[in-house]
Amino acid sequence: MKVLVPVKRVIDYNVKARVKADGSGVDLANVKMSMNPFDEISVEQAVRMKEAGTATEIVIVSIGPAAAQETIRTALAMGGDRGILVKTDQTVEPLAVAKILKIITEQEGADIVILGKQAIDDDSNQTGQMLAALLGRSQATFASEVKIEGGKAEVTREVDGGLQTIRVNLPTVITVDLRLNEPRYASLPNIMKARKKPIDEKTPEDYGVDITPRLKVLKTTEPPVRTAGVKVESVQELVAKLRNEAGVI
Amino acid sequence: MAIALGDPAQFIRDHTVLTETPLVPEVRLYVASEMLPIWQMTEDEMQKVGLPPPFWAFAWAGGQALARYILDNPELVAGKRVLDFGAGSGLAGIAAMLAGAGQVSAAEIDPIALIAIDLNARANKVIVTRLEGDIVGEIHTGWDVVLAADVCYEGPASKRIVAWLDDLARAGMLVLMGDPGRTYFPKTGHEKLISYAVKTTTELEDTDLRNTSVWRVTGLGRDGL
């Protein structure tokens, strides 16, 4: 069974994001970039499936600038078999990503596509769902547990009210949530081995997909700065403030 | 134990073990081993200490095959000026010196590899001249024999390297490549001299034996290049 794992190069989750002066977006100049943490979880899931004998080959895909090759290498070091880099310096929105992934999924004959439920840079949470729709396949989103058995996938989903377990037919698209697993760190021999694994280089044009943005960013703003607190002298004063100023009781 | 690069030579001695090379027991190399903390180093940690991916810390299959072939056929390099290109640990070049080469230059783009090559050469009681930087494209008349092991694993880089090796062969040099069938190793333009089953680790190659060949570049050009 072939598994396709798309990965996105995003601003590192430890970096404090700064908004560009003109409000057009987040300043990415000289900022540490790494693999979207949800995508690390999907790579880990694919590798565990291969170790368990369910998956036979893991293909890693990334759509982005030349540097996204590094993100692919990281996924290969974790246990991916080979990579495909779809190179573009343009902004690629979820729909364009889904269209490219659809063609790659079909060309590769991948039975399962596992991807992060969202990327931490734009928090769109759209690509997996769009991909399943374009492919006409089942989808199992927000997975916190995945079992593959007899041509079906049993997926436990994290929903608002708790957990929901569904069974979907293969081929399918699975998006992963935070609690599915804890991604491994690739050790030195695996990093070295990954350097010798093949990565194909493509462009969006190779797939005949128009990636021109359809969304317009109107503005980007920093979160409001937290204001200083005050000290109260007594319980009575606290209650008064909660009632009259905060209006919470 | 935190790993810091500090003095690279000391780093290499601290974090590797001088080990006999499986196919080439005549040559001992400072290589990484699972017994050592460096084996568990992650990409982030390597970046933090400023250590480029240490290709020099492993005896790759192509280098082992090429070294074995040279030691078994010393007349190919005896008294000759030899270039070991993309030398890594310096294994092929060291084997050439042991086989009686007049002089060996080892070329590497990784400055830490060059320090490892120097340590490895000394450990085998030979001297290897070090050549730092990207020399692809330079047609040097100072070499009689060019050795290139395991250099075809990245698409664009492999293309450049192979075209250059073809030019060197056409200029009359004996160009030998060692390769275990890496993805970007060209299909034509060379003749196979010998094959070995090279012992490696599954952690590096997914199998513990890799069928690896030594090839002579004909310089007659290649399909699709």
Side-chain angles (χ1 to χ4, degrees), chain A residues 182-196:
Chain A
E182 202 172 308
R184 71 194 62 194
Y185 287 103
S187 64
L188 187 67
N190 287 310
I191 297 166
M192 305 304 298
K193 184 159 80 176
R195 300 267 159 174
K196 303 207 174 210

PDB file of all heavy atoms in Angstrom, chain A residues 182-196:
ATOM      1  N   GLU A 182       3.682  10.801  18.829  1.00  0.00           N
ATOM      2  CA  GLU A 182       4.768  11.732  19.097  1.00  0.00           C
ATOM      3  C   GLU A 182       5.864  11.475  18.072  1.00  0.00           C
ATOM      4  O   GLU A 182       6.473  10.403  18.080  1.00  0.00           O
ATOM      5  CB  GLU A 182       5.293  11.514  20.515  1.00  0.00           C
ATOM      6  CG  GLU A 182       5.999  12.732  21.043  1.00  0.00           C
ATOM      7  CD  GLU A 182       6.348  12.564  22.512  1.00  0.00           C
ATOM      8  OE1 GLU A 182       5.443  12.224  23.297  1.00  0.00           O
ATOM      9  OE2 GLU A 182       7.534  12.726  22.834  1.00  0.00           O
ATOM     10  N   PRO A 183       6.092  12.421  17.159  1.00  0.00           N
ATOM     11  CA  PRO A 183       7.049  12.178  16.073  1.00  0.00           C
ATOM     12  C   PRO A 183       8.454  11.902  16.601  1.00  0.00           C
ATOM     13  O   PRO A 183       8.869  12.462  17.599  1.00  0.00           O
ATOM     14  CB  PRO A 183       7.026  13.481  15.276  1.00  0.00           C
ATOM     15  CG  PRO A 183       5.781  14.182  15.674  1.00  0.00           C
ATOM     16  CD  PRO A 183       5.480  13.748  17.073  1.00  0.00           C
ATOM     17  N   ARG A 184       9.149  11.028  15.916  1.00  0.00           N
ATOM     18  CA  ARG A 184      10.509  10.672  16.303  1.00  0.00           C
ATOM     19  C   ARG A 184      11.508  11.733  15.834  1.00  0.00           C
ATOM     20  O   ARG A 184      11.218  12.506  14.927  1.00  0.00           O
ATOM     21  CB  ARG A 184      10.882   9.325  15.688  1.00  0.00           C
ATOM     22  CG  ARG A 184      11.094   9.377  14.165  1.00  0.00           C
ATOM     23  CD  ARG A 184      11.121   8.005  13.563  1.00  0.00           C
ATOM     24  NE  ARG A 184       9.848   7.298  13.751  1.00  0.00           N
ATOM     25  CZ  ARG A 184       9.696   5.996  13.559  1.00  0.00           C
ATOM     26  NH1 ARG A 184      10.704   5.263  13.141  1.00  0.00           N
ATOM     27  NH2 ARG A 184       8.519   5.433  13.741  1.00  0.00           N
ATOM     28  N   TYR A 185      12.661  11.722  16.450  1.00  0.00           N
ATOM     29  CA  TYR A 185      13.773  12.520  15.950  1.00  0.00           C
ATOM     30  C   TYR A 185      14.635  11.616  15.100  1.00  0.00           C
ATOM     31  O   TYR A 185      14.986  10.512  15.535  1.00  0.00           O
ATOM     32  CB  TYR A 185      14.614  13.065  17.099  1.00  0.00           C
ATOM     33  CG  TYR A 185      13.945  14.175  17.846  1.00  0.00           C
ATOM     34  CD1 TYR A 185      13.360  13.960  19.084  1.00  0.00           C
ATOM     35  CD2 TYR A 185      13.891  15.449  17.292  1.00  0.00           C
ATOM     36  CE1 TYR A 185      12.729  14.981  19.771  1.00  0.00           C
ATOM     37  CE2 TYR A 185      13.258  16.482  17.965  1.00  0.00           C
ATOM     38  CZ  TYR A 185      12.677  16.236  19.206  1.00  0.00           C
ATOM     39  OH  TYR A 185      12.057  17.252  19.869  1.00  0.00           O
ATOM     40  N   ALA A 186      14.992  12.068  13.911  1.00  0.00           N
ATOM     41  CA  ALA A 186      15.864  11.257  13.064  1.00  0.00           C
ATOM     42  C   ALA A 186      17.281  11.332  13.609  1.00  0.00           C
ATOM     43  O   ALA A 186      17.760  12.400  13.973  1.00  0.00           O
ATOM     44  CB  ALA A 186      15.830  11.785  11.644  1.00  0.00           C
ATOM     45  N   SER A 187      17.934  10.177  13.718  1.00  0.00           N
ATOM     46  CA  SER A 187      19.312  10.179  14.197  1.00  0.00           C
ATOM     47  C   SER A 187      20.270  10.269  13.022  1.00  0.00           C
ATOM     48  O   SER A 187      19.871  10.157  11.867  1.00  0.00           O
ATOM     49  CB  SER A 187      19.578   8.913  15.000  1.00  0.00           C
ATOM     50  OG  SER A 187      19.459   7.816  14.136  1.00  0.00           O
ATOM     51  N   LEU A 188      21.543  10.472  13.359  1.00  0.00           N
ATOM     52  CA  LEU A 188      22.560  10.745  12.343  1.00  0.00           C
ATOM     53  C   LEU A 188      22.556   9.791  11.145  1.00  0.00           C
ATOM     54  O   LEU A 188      22.502  10.252  10.002  1.00  0.00           O
ATOM     55  CB  LEU A 188      23.932  10.780  13.006  1.00  0.00           C
ATOM     56  CG  LEU A 188      25.057  11.223  12.083  1.00  0.00           C
ATOM     57  CD1 LEU A 188      24.892  12.664  11.686  1.00  0.00           C
ATOM     58  CD2 LEU A 188      26.395  11.019  12.756  1.00  0.00           C
ATOM     59  N   PRO A 189      22.581   8.475  11.352  1.00  0.00           N
ATOM     60  CA  PRO A 189      22.620   7.606  10.163  1.00  0.00           C
ATOM     61  C   PRO A 189      21.403   7.793   9.263  1.00  0.00           C
ATOM     62  O   PRO A 189      21.521   7.723   8.037  1.00  0.00           O
ATOM     63  CB  PRO A 189      22.666   6.189  10.736  1.00  0.00           C
ATOM     64  CG  PRO A 189      22.540   6.309  12.193  1.00  0.00           C
ATOM     65  CD  PRO A 189      22.684   7.725  12.604  1.00  0.00           C
ATOM     66  N   ASN A 190      20.256   8.056   9.898  1.00  0.00           N
ATOM     67  CA  ASN A 190      19.061   8.274   9.080  1.00  0.00           C
ATOM     68  C   ASN A 190      19.112   9.596   8.328  1.00  0.00           C
ATOM     69  O   ASN A 190      18.604   9.710   7.214  1.00  0.00           O
ATOM     70  CB  ASN A 190      17.810   8.202   9.957  1.00  0.00           C
ATOM     71  CG  ASN A 190      17.523   6.779  10.375  1.00  0.00           C
ATOM     72  OD1 ASN A 190      17.497   5.881   9.541  1.00  0.00           O
ATOM     73  ND2 ASN A 190      17.375   6.559  11.665  1.00  0.00           N
ATOM     74  N   ILE A 191      19.719  10.603   8.951  1.00  0.00           N
ATOM     75  CA  ILE A 191      19.882  11.891   8.265  1.00  0.00           C
ATOM     76  C   ILE A 191      20.813  11.702   7.069  1.00  0.00           C
ATOM     77  O   ILE A 191      20.568  12.199   5.970  1.00  0.00           O
ATOM     78  CB  ILE A 191      20.454  12.943   9.241  1.00  0.00           C
ATOM     79  CG1 ILE A 191      19.464  13.190  10.379  1.00  0.00           C
ATOM     80  CG2 ILE A 191      20.762  14.241   8.506  1.00  0.00           C
ATOM     81  CD1 ILE A 191      20.053  13.946  11.557  1.00  0.00           C
ATOM     82  N   MET A 192      21.890  10.940   7.289  1.00  0.00           N
ATOM     83  CA  MET A 192      22.851  10.698   6.207  1.00  0.00           C
ATOM     84  C   MET A 192      22.195   9.885   5.090  1.00  0.00           C
ATOM     85  O   MET A 192      22.369  10.152   3.910  1.00  0.00           O
ATOM     86  CB  MET A 192      24.072   9.935   6.724  1.00  0.00           C
ATOM     87  CG  MET A 192      24.778  10.579   7.891  1.00  0.00           C
ATOM     88  SD  MET A 192      25.286  12.259   7.567  1.00  0.00           S
ATOM     89  CE  MET A 192      26.391  12.029   6.228  1.00  0.00           C
ATOM     90  N   LYS A 193      21.422   8.875   5.509  1.00  0.00           N
ATOM     91  CA  LYS A 193      20.750   8.029   4.533  1.00  0.00           C
ATOM     92  C   LYS A 193      19.783   8.869   3.691  1.00  0.00           C
ATOM     93  O   LYS A 193      19.684   8.695   2.480  1.00  0.00           O
ATOM     94  CB  LYS A 193      19.995   6.922   5.281  1.00  0.00           C
ATOM     95  CG  LYS A 193      19.333   5.925   4.397  1.00  0.00           C
ATOM     96  CD  LYS A 193      19.054   4.632   5.140  1.00  0.00           C
ATOM     97  CE  LYS A 193      17.822   4.717   5.994  1.00  0.00           C
ATOM     98  NZ  LYS A 193      17.512   3.434   6.634  1.00  0.00           N
ATOM     99  N   ALA A 194      19.102   9.800   4.365  1.00  0.00           N
ATOM    100  CA  ALA A 194      18.109  10.642   3.671  1.00  0.00           C
ATOM    101  C   ALA A 194      18.754  11.481   2.588  1.00  0.00           C
ATOM    102  O   ALA A 194      18.138  11.795   1.571  1.00  0.00           O
ATOM    103  CB  ALA A 194      17.391  11.539   4.675  1.00  0.00           C
ATOM    104  N   ARG A 195      20.019  11.846   2.809  1.00  0.00           N
ATOM    105  CA  ARG A 195      20.713  12.672   1.799  1.00  0.00           C
ATOM    106  C   ARG A 195      20.898  11.897   0.503  1.00  0.00           C
ATOM    107  O   ARG A 195      21.191  12.472  -0.528  1.00  0.00           O
ATOM    108  CB  ARG A 195      22.092  13.108   2.313  1.00  0.00           C
ATOM    109  CG  ARG A 195      22.020  13.912   3.576  1.00  0.00           C
ATOM    110  CD  ARG A 195      21.965  15.381   3.281  1.00  0.00           C
ATOM    111  NE  ARG A 195      21.406  16.082   4.420  1.00  0.00           N
ATOM    112  CZ  ARG A 195      21.316  17.394   4.534  1.00  0.00           C
ATOM    113  NH1 ARG A 195      21.746  18.159   3.564  1.00  0.00           N
ATOM    114  NH2 ARG A 195      20.789  17.948   5.583  1.00  0.00           N
ATOM    115  N   LYS A 196      20.820  10.599   0.581  1.00  0.00           N
ATOM    116  CA  LYS A 196      21.037   9.790  -0.621  1.00  0.00           C
ATOM    117  C   LYS A 196      19.732   9.252  -1.183  1.00  0.00           C
ATOM    118  O   LYS A 196      19.738   8.423  -2.070  1.00  0.00           O
ATOM    119  CB  LYS A 196      22.013   8.646  -0.305  1.00  0.00           C
ATOM    120  CG  LYS A 196      23.342   9.206   0.232  1.00  0.00           C
ATOM    121  CD  LYS A 196      24.544   8.341  -0.020  1.00  0.00           C
ATOM    122  CE  LYS A 196      25.809   9.079   0.415  1.00  0.00           C
ATOM    123  NZ  LYS A 196      26.985   8.737  -0.330  1.00  0.00           N
TER     124      LYS A 196
END
